[in-house]
């Protein structure tokens, strides 16, 4: 076992960790909405207004702060008026992006808002720019957030909702450089400016507008947004988004369950690379916006593998192992580290799609290793990031640190440390010195397992969080990190 030094300085406060960094993304894709979140009122699966109770409870447990919907690529072909009113008369559509299946629109605005109410999370709605109109988006905002007398509020009331909902997060388009219209950056910037002008703040509701940002490392797109989104009276947006999938080759995605050690490290190296990409986008944003008025939102991130054998290739259903858990740990640490600019992140996707935190099959539900990372890391939500450093021990022949960490403090003084070890062979002992702090009480939890370990419907608790012992020493703590593990420590002084 190797020993590594760690230093924490609670006096060196860095940035606020917005709870929205721990967000999820849900799209009308495969079984994310239908079967995942929504089963309908008549289902035998226990539900509230058609929404699965087990899934709601699981998301409440990890304090899900925000949920993005209805896409993804789906957002730019979604027409919200088709998803309101009497279900039997809702217009059907073809989901051209995801398997060409017929979408019956039984899950629409009211159902999504109800889902967010049940979980207790903020809704984040992505509006249709690619195939929608300015009027359509404008009326959607009026429908959801206006309390007065208007055609849209009459319609909402007729559909059973008297009071408006609160809507803060509004995405104006999705991947408009690709599935959202194949636009060039300057063109999109112009379209964005027009659309956002008609997304009004009705009394009592203030929108936080999100413009489509870059794919991965596309700095040209970011530069163009920053150059073109400042209007006559200031910024026309509150944030730009960014999408980053840990995927090397779109034509050869590989298996979620079967992989060599080499593929394991390759994937984690890719995940860790988001640090460099965020740093580059931040440098551009800092030049145009040194006051950091605009946020960067990583509203799609995660792993993307071949679908599980025998499943619809358009449904993007993949299993989830301890390897995915390590991707999540590394990514969340990076988002925490950049929380001076990164104000939200949404893993793709919440249920049954890509790096899902939850999988369902009929009435069965399992939480994945990735879910358990969100469980371990949830205590960072709304904390203050403080300075920490661990000796940088690299994985041999890789540009990848073995240990990744975040430390935050809450207003009540509780300190939360998360540490992960992605080495497959080395156990580390972290000798952690905490400056100016007399450690009074310590508790810890661990997630660990062989890299291929996963939860399935017959073995739902194969990989799960367990209580863990941490040693208190003079001036700090000592934490043992087994290979392929993540540990969360809570310290009260
Ligand atoms: O998450 C799956 C898809 O990936 C989304 O629909 C799209 O925005 C991205 O390309």
């Amino acid at each position: 076992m190797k020993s590594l030094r760690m230093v924490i300085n609670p006096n060196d406060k860095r940035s606020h960790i917005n709870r929205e960094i721990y967000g999820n993304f849900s799209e009308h894709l495969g079984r994310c909405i239908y079967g995942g979140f929504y089963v309908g009122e008549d289902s035998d699966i226990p539900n509230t207004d058609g929404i699965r109770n087990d899934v709601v409870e699981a998301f409440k447990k990890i304090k899900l702060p925000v949920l993005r919907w209805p896409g993804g690529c789906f957002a730019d072909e979604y027409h919200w008026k088709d998803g309101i009113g009497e279900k039997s008369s809702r217009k059907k559509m073809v989901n051209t992006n995801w398997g060409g299946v017929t979408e019956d629109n039984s899950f629409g605005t009211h159902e999504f808002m109800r889902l967010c109410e049940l979980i207790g999370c903020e809704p984040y709605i992505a509006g249709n720019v690619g195939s929608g109109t300015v009027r359509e988006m404008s009326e959607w905002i009026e429908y959801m957030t206006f309390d007065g007398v208007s055609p849209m509020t009459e319609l909402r009331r007729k559909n059973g909702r008297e009071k408006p909902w609160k809507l803060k997060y509004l995405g104006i388009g999705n991947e408009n450089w690709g599935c959202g219209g194949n636009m060039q950056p300057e063109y999109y910037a112009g379209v964005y400016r027009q659309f956002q002008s008609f997304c009004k703040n009705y009394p009592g509701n203030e929108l936080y507008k999100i413009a489509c940002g870059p794919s991965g490392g596309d700095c040209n797109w970011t530069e163009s947004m920053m150059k073109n989104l400042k209007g006559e009276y200031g910024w026309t947006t509150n944030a730009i988004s960014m999408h980053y999938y840990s995927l090397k080759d779109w034509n050869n995605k590989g298996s979620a369950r079967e992989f060599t050690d080499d593929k394991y490290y390759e994937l984690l190296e890719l995940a860790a690379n988001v640090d460099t990409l965020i740093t580059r986008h931040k440098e551009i944003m800092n030049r145009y916006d040194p006051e950091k008025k605009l946020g960067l939102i990583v509203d799609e991130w995660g792993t993307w593998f071949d679908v599980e054998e025998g499943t619809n290739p358009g449904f993007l259903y993949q299993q989830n192992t301890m390897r995915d858990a390590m991707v999540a740990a590394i990514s969340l640490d990076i988002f925490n580290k950049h929380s001076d600019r990164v104000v939200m992140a949404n893993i793709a996707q919440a249920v049954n799609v890509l790096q899902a935190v939850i999988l369902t099959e009929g009435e069965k539900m399992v939480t994945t290793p990735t879910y358990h990372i969100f469980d371990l890391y949830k205590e960072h939500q709304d904390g203050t990031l403080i300075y920490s450093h661990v000796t940088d021990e690299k994985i041999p022949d890789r540009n990848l640190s073995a240990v990744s960490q975040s430390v935050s403090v809450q207003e009540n003084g509780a300190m939360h440390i998360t540490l992960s070890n992605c080495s497959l062979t080395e156990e580390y002992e972290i000798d952690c010195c905490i400056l100016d702090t007399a450690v009074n009480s310590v508790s810890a939890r661990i997630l660990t397992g062989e890299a291929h370990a996963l939860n399935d419907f017959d073995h739902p608790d194969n990989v799960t969080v367990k209580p863990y012992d941490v040693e208190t020493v003079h001036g700090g703590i000592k934490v043992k990190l087994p290979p392929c593990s993540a540990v969360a420590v809570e310290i009260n002084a």
Side-chain angles (χ1 to χ4, degrees):
M1 181 169 55
K2 278 194 185 169
S3 183
L4 299 178
R5 303 274 302 164
M6 178 174 185
V7 179
I8 296 174
N9 183 359
N11 305 316
D12 188 349
K13 297 190 166 48
R14 296 289 164 112
S15 45
H16 179 77
I17 300 176
N18 265 3
R19 74 178 93 125
E20 283 83 355
I21 284 179
Y22 292 83
N24 270 227
F25 164 41
S26 59
E27 181 166 11
H28 288 240
L29 194 179
R31 296 186 299 111
C32 181
I33 298 297
Y34 301 110
F37 279 112
Y38 188 73
V39 286
E41 289 92 335
D42 299 335
S43 171
D44 292 338
I45 300 171
N47 68 81
T48 305
D49 301 329
I51 296 162
R52 292 182 74 123
N53 294 343
D54 52 357
V55 171
V56 166
E57 282 314 307
F59 277 115
K60 279 167 89 166
K61 190 171 169 240
I62 57 170
K63 298 191 190 157
L64 181 73
V66 61
L67 188 61
R68 179 174 182 248
W69 174 85
C73 294
F74 181 79
D76 280 287
E77 64 176 12
Y78 181 63
H79 299 285
W80 69 271
K81 282 187 186 160
D82 298 344
I84 55 171
E86 196 44 56
K87 292 204 181 191
S88 56
S89 48
R90 290 191 193 176
K91 195 168 155 189
K92 295 187 173 51
M93 66 178 279
V94 186
N95 191 334
T96 63
N97 287 290
W98 308 118
V101 295
T102 301
E103 161 69 52
D104 71 2
N105 274 310
S106 54
F107 188 92
T109 306
H110 291 249
E111 290 76 18
F112 174 65
M113 289 304 205
R114 182 73 178 123
L115 169 62
C116 293
E117 262 167 21
L118 290 172
I119 296 176
C121 69
E122 291 277 350
Y124 167 9
I125 286 196
N128 181 346
V129 166
S131 70
T133 63
V134 174
R135 178 175 180 174
E136 187 181 5
M137 192 180 290
S138 162
E139 288 186 337
W140 200 5
I141 309 303
E142 183 185 320
Y143 186 89
M144 289 185 283
T145 65
F146 185 45
D147 200 10
V149 178
S150 81
M152 289 307 114
T153 55
E154 259 174 48
L155 187 58
R156 186 187 71 227
R157 290 185 180 114
K158 193 174 123 228
N159 290 331
R161 175 81 188 191
E162 175 59 33
K163 283 284 159 199
W165 294 280
K166 287 267 183 249
L167 176 71
K168 181 174 177 186
Y169 298 113
L170 174 71
I172 298 183
N174 168 75
E175 296 196 349
N176 301 91
W177 35 260
C179 63
N182 277 300
M183 300 177 194
Q184 288 175 328
E186 287 72 22
Y187 178 76
Y188 168 74
V191 171
Y192 169 86
R193 289 171 66 129
Q194 183 192 7
F195 268 71
Q196 71 79 33
S197 307
F198 301 93
C199 296
K200 305 288 182 185
N201 285 331
Y202 290 103
N205 192 74
E206 194 168 342
L207 297 170
Y208 183 94
K209 296 172 189 169
I210 301 157
C212 165
S215 168
D218 185 353
C219 290
N220 180 43
W221 185 280
T222 305
E223 183 89 38
S224 180
M225 291 311 113
M226 297 307 291
K227 205 184 279 174
N228 293 304
L229 295 188
K230 202 164 199 174
E232 187 89 354
Y233 308 107
W235 290 105
T236 58
T237 191
N238 298 102
I240 63 169
S241 64
M242 161 184 180
H243 289 181
Y244 181 69
Y245 287 97
S246 301
L247 171 61
K248 194 172 175 195
D249 180 358
W250 284 93
N251 298 315
N252 188 10
K253 302 191 190 78
S255 158
R257 307 163 174 251
E258 283 158 32
F259 49 87
T260 58
D261 291 359
D262 202 45
K263 282 281 164 202
Y264 168 91
Y265 287 125
E266 178 185 281
L267 184 77
L268 298 192
E269 210 174 55
L270 280 168
N273 191 38
V274 76
D275 191 5
T276 309
L277 303 184
I278 291 176
T279 304
R280 286 189 196 143
H281 295 303
K282 276 173 72 174
E283 278 163 9
I284 298 169
M285 294 179 82
N286 289 347
R287 267 194 281 118
Y288 292 87
D289 173 34
E291 303 95 0
K292 296 191 177 156
K293 286 195 173 142
L294 301 198
L296 180 64
I297 291 185
V298 191
D299 58 15
E300 288 186 28
W301 66 272
T303 59
W304 193 318
F305 301 114
D306 290 336
V307 298
E308 286 292 295
E309 225 177 286
T311 65
N312 187 328
F315 282 13
L316 311 188
Y317 177 74
Q318 64 190 42
Q319 248 296 357
N320 193 293
T321 66
M322 271 304 293
R323 177 175 63 159
D324 295 82
M326 299 316 293
V327 167
I330 291 171
S331 305
L332 291 171
D333 283 333
I334 293 168
F335 303 151
N336 287 340
K337 175 177 146 189
H338 290 289
S339 52
D340 59 330
R341 190 63 96 167
V342 174
V343 296
M344 189 197 295
N346 310 73
I347 192 169
Q349 296 192 6
V351 192
N352 291 333
V353 171
L354 299 176
Q355 192 177 348
V357 299
I358 288 176
L359 300 175
T360 66
E361 196 177 82
E363 79 286 357
K364 294 184 192 155
M365 181 200 89
V366 286
T367 51
T368 65
T370 298
Y371 173 93
H372 294 295
I373 291 292
F374 275 80
D375 187 26
L376 285 182
Y377 277 58
K378 68 185 176 203
E379 307 303 343
H380 289 308
Q381 291 187 24
D382 282 334
T384 301
L385 182 78
I386 57 174
Y387 174 86
S388 64
H389 184 261
V390 182
T391 319
D392 195 11
E393 169 85 358
K394 293 282 187 216
I395 299 292
D397 306 322
R398 291 275 172 193
N399 183 19
L400 176 67
S401 302
V403 173
S404 148
Q405 92 287 355
S406 298
V407 185
S408 66
V409 280
Q410 290 291 340
E411 256 173 30
N412 65 6
M415 179 184 293
H416 296 281
I417 307 171
T418 47
L419 283 155
S420 69
N421 171 15
C422 70
S423 170
L424 292 171
T425 48
E426 283 292 342
E427 178 172 19
Y428 294 103
E429 182 172 64
I430 310 295
D431 194 350
C432 175
C433 161
I434 308 173
L435 302 181
D436 295 334
T437 308
V439 176
N440 233 334
S441 71
V442 184
S443 61
R445 298 188 303 148
I446 188 168
L447 182 75
T448 186
E450 199 277 322
H452 300 83
L454 52 80
N455 294 331
D456 61 26
F457 299 102
D458 297 323
H459 312 90
D461 296 320
N462 190 33
V463 181
T464 189
V465 169
K466 300 202 168 75
Y468 195 54
D469 284 334
V470 164
E471 199 185 330
T472 311
V473 291
H474 180 69
I477 53 169
K478 277 190 180 173
V479 186
K480 289 198 175 76
L481 292 181
C484 200
S485 69
V487 170
V489 184
E490 174 169 335
I491 293 182
N492 286 287

